[in-house]
C-alpha cells in the first residue's frame, strides 16, 4: 500500500518538535504541504526549515481563538486550502492528585487540550472544509482510556477529546472525517520526566519492549489522513506498543508466562 498525500495542505498544531514535527515531516515526505504552528517562533522557523520548501510556519497558542483564526487565514493565504487539520498541541501544567489541582491550571489544561481542538476545527470547517471536505485528526492519549498516576485532569481532557472525535465525526459528516490517535509513552520533551532514566524499566510495560518514537505516531496519523482511510471515521486508534493490553497486575507477558 502506497500512502500518499500529494497536493494536500495540512495544518498542524504543536508542530515545532516531538510528535507534531514528526507528523509534519511524514506528511511532507508523502507529498503534502504543511503549515506548522506552535507558540515559539524561533523553534517553529527552525522546524519548518528542516522540512524545506513544502513547509511554512505561523506562531499561535492553540488556546487563543484570535491567534488560531490568524493561523488558519495564513494557511489559506499561503497554500489556498486546508485539507487536513491535526489537533496535536496540548499542555500539562500539573502533576499530582486530581483533587489537588487549582482552578487556574485546570482551566488552562481544559482550554488548550479540550477547547483548542473545537476552536481549530470550527475555523477550518468555516474556512474550507464545509464546502470542500477534509480530515481532522485529534491527538489524544492512551491515558484517556486507563488510569495514570498524577495525570487525572490531563487525561480527563484527553478522554473528552475521544468523545469530541465521535461527536464531530457525526456532526461534520459526510464532508469531513474526524479520527483520533491515542499514543502511549513516546520519547518527547513532554513525557521526558516519565521516561528519562527509566527507559529500560518502562519498556517492560509494552509488549514490544520499547517506548514509542514520534514517528510511530506520525505513521498512523499519515495513514488516517490519507484516502486509504476513506472509510474510517469517528474512532480513536491506540498506538502504544501494546501498553493497554497488559493483563492486570502483569508487567510483561514474559513475566506472566514464567509465573504460570
Ligand atoms: N509524549 C507522549 O508520551 C505522549 C503520550 C500521549 C499523548 N501525547 C500527546 O501528543 C501530543 C504532542 O506531544 P509531544 O509529546 O510531541 O510534546 P512535545 O514534544 O513537548 O511538543 C509539544 C508541542 O506543542 C507545542 N505547544 C505546547 N503548548 C502549546 C500551546 N498552548 N499552543 C500551541 N502549541 C503548544 C510546543 O511548542 P511551543 O512550546 O513552542 O508552543 C511543541 O511544538 C500532545 O497532544 C500530547 O498530549 C504525548
Amino acid at each position: 500500500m502506497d500512502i500518499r498525500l500529494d497536493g494536500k495542505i495540512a495544518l498542524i498544531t504543536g508542530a515545532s518538535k516531538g510528535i507534531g514535527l514528526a507528523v509534519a515531516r511524514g506528511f511532507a515526505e508523502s507529498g503534502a504541504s504543511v503549515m506548522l504552528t506552535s507558540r515559539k517562533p524561533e523553534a517553529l522557523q527552525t522546524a519548518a526549515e528542516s522540512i524545506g520548501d513544502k513547509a511554512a510556519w505561523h506562531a499561535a497558542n492553540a488556546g487563543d481563538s484570535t491567534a488560531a483564526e490568524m493561523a488558519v487565514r495564513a494557511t489559506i493565504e499561503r497554500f489556498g486550502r486546508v485539507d487536513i487539520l491535526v489537533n496535536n498541541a496540548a499542555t500539562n501544567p500539573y502533576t499530582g492528585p486530581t483533587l489537588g489541582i487549582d482552578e487556574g491550571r485546570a482551566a488552562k489544561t481544559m482550554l488548550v487540550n479540550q477547547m483548542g481542538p473545537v476552536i481549530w476545527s470550527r475555523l477550518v470547517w468555516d474556512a474550507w472544509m464545509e464546502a470542500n471536505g477534509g480530515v481532522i485528526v485529534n491527538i489524544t492519549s492512551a491515558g484517556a482510556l486507563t488510569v495514570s498516576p498524577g495525570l487525572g485532569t490531563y487525561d480527563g481532557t484527553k478522554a473528552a477529546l475521544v468523545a469530541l472525535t465521535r461527536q464531530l465525526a457525526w456532526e461534520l459528516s459526510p464532508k469531513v472525517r474526524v479520527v483520533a490517535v491515542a499514543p502511549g509513552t513516546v520519547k518527547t520533551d513532554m513525557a521526558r520526566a516519565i521516561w528519562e532514566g527509566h527507559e529500560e524499566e518502562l519498556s517492560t510495560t509494552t509488549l514490544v519492549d520499547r517506548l514509542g518514537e514520534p514517528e510511530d505516531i506520525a505513521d498512523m496519523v499519515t495513514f488516517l489522513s490519507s484516502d486509504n482511510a476513506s472509510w474510517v471515521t469517528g474512532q480513536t486508534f491506540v498506538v502504544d506498543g501494546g501498553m493497554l493490553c497488559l493483563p492486570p497486575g502483569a508487567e510483561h507477558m514474559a513475566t506472566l508466562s514464567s509465573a504460570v
Side-chain angles (χ1 to χ4, degrees):
M1 181 168 57
D2 192 18
I3 298 170
R4 299 298 309 168
L5 297 173
D6 297 297
K8 304 280 188 197
I9 305 301
L11 172 57
I12 304 146
T13 68
S16 64
K17 60 180 179 175
I19 291 168
L21 178 55
V23 168
R25 194 164 279 139
F27 278 7
E29 284 166 4
S30 302
S33 294
V34 288
M35 176 63 89
L36 282 59
T37 77
S38 64
R39 291 167 302 178
K40 300 181 194 102
E42 301 79 14
L44 265 179
Q45 184 174 359
T46 305
E49 283 172 2
S50 77
I51 294 174
D53 287 352
K54 284 184 165 295
W57 61 274
H58 186 96
N61 186 327
D64 177 341
S65 55
T66 306
E69 188 174 352
M70 288 167 70
V72 171
R73 198 176 302 157
T75 308
I76 302 277
E77 277 168 15
R78 172 74 169 73
F79 295 113
R81 51 197 291 146
V82 54
D83 304 294
I84 302 164
L85 168 67
V86 183
N87 283 311
N88 168 73
T91 191
N92 182 33
Y94 172 83
T95 309
T98 306
L99 300 187
I101 196 166
D102 54 282
E103 288 181 24
R105 279 181 289 182
K108 180 181 175 187
T109 311
M110 291 174 197
L111 175 64
V112 174
N113 300 5
Q114 198 173 328
M115 191 59 201
V118 175
I119 292 169
W120 289 73
S121 298
R122 179 167 56 214
L123 287 164
V124 297
W125 171 257
D126 288 347
W128 180 262
M129 291 187 184
E130 181 178 13
N132 303 287
V135 183
I136 297 173
V137 184
N138 295 320
I139 306 300
T140 171
S141 172
L145 308 170
T146 183
V147 176
S148 329
L151 296 175
T153 302
Y154 165 84
D155 279 350
T157 63
K158 294 299 193 176
L161 201 47
V162 172
L164 180 76
T165 299
R166 274 195 303 267
Q167 186 72 24
L168 283 186
W170 175 61
E171 292 186 18
L172 306 187
S173 68
K175 282 278 181 189
V176 172
R177 293 190 296 112
V178 187
V179 290
V181 175
T185 306
V186 180
K187 291 193 292 174
T188 66
D189 285 347
M190 188 177 208
R192 190 172 291 282
I194 296 172
W195 60 267
E196 200 164 52
H198 309 284
E199 228 180 294
E200 205 172 318
E201 153 202 348
L202 271 178
S203 295
T204 67
T205 67
T206 73
L207 300 182
V208 294
D209 285 333
R210 69 172 177 86
L211 299 182
E213 300 291 343
E215 292 72 21
D216 291 314
I217 309 306
D219 286 348
M220 177 63 102
V221 176
T222 302
F223 165 69
L224 290 170
S225 302
S226 74
D227 291 342
N228 300 72
S230 62
W231 212 47
V232 181
T233 191
Q235 295 299 333
T236 295
F237 297 86
V238 177
V239 183
D240 69 343
M243 190 185 83
L244 292 187
C245 289
L246 284 176
E251 279 198 347
H252 189 271
M253 287 307 287
T255 317
L256 183 68
S257 44
S258 65
V260 291

